[in-house]
Amino acid sequence: MSLGYAEKLSFIEDVGQVGMTEHFDSSNILQEKIERLATLIRKSKHLVVFTGAGISTSCGIPDFRGPKGIWTLQREGKALPEASLPFHRAMPSLTHMALVELERAGILKFVISQNVDGLHLRSGIPREKLAELHGNSFMETCPSCGAEYLRDFEVETIGLKETSRRCAVKQCGAKLKDTVLDWEDALPTKEMNLSEKHCRMADVVLCLGTSLQITPACNLPLKSLRGGGKIVIVNLQKTPKDKKASLVIHGLVDKVVSGAMISLNRQIPPFVRVDLFQTIITQALSLDKKYVNWTLRVSSVHGHKAPLPFVKSVEVSFLDREDYKGAILEKEPFQLKRRTVSTKSFEVVLKLNFSEGCGCPYIEMNIPIDFTVPIDCFNLDKDAIFEELKETAIQESCCGQNAVIVRREILTPQSEETVYAVVTNIVRHNKTAKVSELGDSLSNGGNVKRRLENGCTGTLKKKRSKNRHKKKPTTTTTSSLST
């Protein structure tokens, strides 16, 4: 979990049993249990997965109650663990992506998560097939119209408090709230109702990486028993629900899931992250109309005051114009102000240096600027562009691919906003021949043959008047702006 999230929680004396002994099934027993699990999944008609912090430890996110968990170390008076990556750059694990494959295959019907890391949504699990019982650190919601906004930065509050942003839905504009519960907050009714419904329908509820201690969430899997369903628990520590389970597996979640996917002959898809940012060029003629005073800003698509966490700095230069002074922008807002002759066109070169956790160090963009040419406005199919970028990134085994998806004109003040999509990470989870060969390659800090592709950078040349994409009408969306 996010250490920031843990620090924001209200103090509570009893956080449940912590620091429990970890148990590991022997290799032979583990192999036999994994085969049984695969058989249950193969025969399942309504598989529901219930997840806890244990599926995210291999993403570099500490858990709470393990031997090195946050609550355990706090109780022992020890320093808290440090996350290996910034929370906003954590990427889905092998287990997250295996669940995506099972959902796409029509096997997995619903996911119930107690995690607030947002990795299920980011991995590709559809929102309508996911209940996030304790909220999402990257999600804001509108209490008035119900619109949801998935951010690329951690929302600053928890406890269902108002944030600094407003709903973008027309005719609404209400203040948004965070979605992460504090100790005293009740579980969201909608999420609980869906979870209960699917658990009652389930013939298998697979519990992954959860101690099953927090009520009422921990009792949800039991609702499958009335209809003859079975519970499977995969966890290193014993849980209060073990006696109710048809199968208990003591093993690392990634190792167990990887083995089950091999038995099912299912390939675990790579994870490709696509992020969004925008450039805003604002212009105004001088009084004598000989010059243009203009400002170039690189910013978040989530609002002018929202952070842009994956960009560390922006280098600005001018192609073939040595008389125009460039700049290195190292702090947000990334903004450059210049004055140029109104009748002259030129080309701006932007180098976006990415922050820690991104799969490539930077991308470069060439932006032709000619204030005498009308702006070519359009709004393209974001999802289609995302898929095309992902396919290209997988084929080329590197990051940095990028594309323009929106360009719009604003009359007051006169400006042009352009939204870009860029591939910032690709992770492959290689299939292993035998589960027994996984051995100790898995730990709470590492994945099975998890490989980050990097070393590539992308370039993008922006043209004003020769865009070949078909124009589409502007639509209002409340879904995620990065994936």
Side-chain angles (χ1 to χ4, degrees), residues 1 15-24 52-54 57 61-76 78-81 209-211 213 235-238 252 444:
M1 293 295 180
V15 295
Q17 191 172 359
V18 299
M20 295 180 293
T21 303
E22 291 184 341
H23 300 272
F24 293 85
T57 53
I61 302 174
D63 62 18
F64 282 112
R65 295 177 177 83
K68 296 182 181 179
I70 293 172
W71 302 145
T72 304
L73 295 177
Q74 279 186 344
R75 182 165 291 183
E76 295 173 352
K78 296 179 180 179
L80 295 182
T210 170
S211 63
Q213 291 193 55
N235 201 52
L236 289 179
Q237 299 149 327
K238 294 180 180 179
L252 293 159
N444 282 346

Side-chain angles (χ1 to χ4, degrees), residues 47 49 51 55 92-113 118-132 136 139 148 150 269 271 390 480 483:
L47 173 66
V49 171
T51 67
I55 74 161
S93 66
L94 178 152
T95 296
H96 288 99
M97 298 313 299
L99 297 182
V100 170
E101 170 63 18
L102 294 176
E103 186 279 324
R104 289 174 180 172
I107 299 170
L108 174 59
K109 304 302 183 183
F110 200 72
V111 176
I112 306 167
S113 180
L119 290 178
H120 281 304
L121 267 183
R122 195 168 293 286
S123 71
I125 294 293
R127 181 67 182 98
E128 65 272 14
K129 294 185 179 181
L130 172 66
E132 294 181 304
N136 186 327
M139 182 81 78
E148 293 182 329
L150 183 63
F271 168 70
K390 289 178 180 181
S480 67
T483 186

Side-chain angles (χ1 to χ4, degrees), residues 208-221:
L208 299 174
T210 170
S211 63
L212 293 169
Q213 291 193 55
I214 300 299
T215 58
C218 68
N219 293 319
L220 284 170

Side-chain angles (χ1 to χ4, degrees), residues 18 70 153 199 359 385 408 424 453 482:
V18 299
I70 293 172
F153 55 89
C199 282
I385 292 176
R408 51 181 169 254
T424 54
E453 307 285 0
S482 59

Side-chain angles (χ1 to χ4, degrees), residues 259-453:
M261 294 296 283
I262 291 170
S263 295
L264 292 167
N265 197 29
R266 290 283 174 183
Q267 192 73 260
I268 299 173
F271 168 70
V272 181
R273 175 161 177 165
V274 181
D275 282 295
L276 300 182
F277 65 93
Q278 66 180 347
T279 60
I280 304 172
I281 300 174
T282 304
Q283 58 172 298
L285 278 174
S286 61
L287 293 177
D288 58 11
K289 298 186 178 181
K290 292 181 179 180
Y291 300 95
V292 175
N293 299 315
W294 57 274
T295 300
L296 170 64
R297 182 186 179 108
V298 179
S299 64
S300 169
V301 297
H302 301 286
H304 296 327
K305 294 183 179 180
L308 189 61
F310 65 96
V311 177
K312 180 171 59 177
S313 63
V314 178
E315 299 178 35
V316 186
S317 58
F318 296 86
L319 195 64
D320 300 326
R321 293 306 301 255
E322 295 182 359
D323 52 330
Y324 288 0
K325 184 179 179 182
I328 299 177
L329 312 174
E330 296 182 323
K331 292 184 178 181
E332 295 189 55
F334 301 120
Q335 186 168 286
L336 178 76
K337 293 184 178 181
R338 289 291 184 267
R339 179 185 232 204
T340 55
V341 177
S342 61
T343 57
K344 288 188 176 181
S345 61
F346 53 93
E347 197 162 8
V348 173
V349 180
L350 289 185
K351 181 181 179 183
L352 273 62
N353 297 307
F354 292 141
S355 62
E356 180 186 4
C358 292
C360 57
Y362 65 88
I363 63 167
E364 287 188 344
M365 303 163 47
N366 292 0
I367 305 179
I369 294 182
D370 186 346
F371 294 115
T372 64
V373 176
I375 295 172
D376 183 19
C377 300
F378 54 85
N379 190 353
L380 305 178
D381 186 337
K382 181 188 71 174
D383 293 335
I385 292 176
F386 276 21
E387 289 307 310
E388 184 177 347
L389 288 173
K390 289 178 180 181
E391 289 177 9
T392 304
I394 292 170
Q395 292 172 2
E396 298 179 355
S397 293
C398 67
C399 307
Q401 296 80 5
N402 46 72
V404 177
I405 58 174
V406 176
R407 186 173 296 141
R408 51 181 169 254
E409 182 179 16
I410 298 175
L411 298 180
T412 306
Q414 187 175 356
S415 56
E416 170 190 348
E417 294 184 358
T418 306
V419 177
Y420 302 86
V422 57
V423 174
T424 54
N425 287 100
I426 174 171
V427 184
R428 297 180 188 272
H429 300 282
N430 290 344
K431 217 171 181 181
T432 308
K434 295 180 180 179
V435 176
S436 58
E437 293 176 0
L438 297 179
D440 296 327
S441 64
L442 275 163
S443 68
N444 282 346
N447 250 332
V448 182
K449 292 198 173 182
R450 175 171 174 160
R451 183 158 62 92
L452 251 68
E453 307 285 0

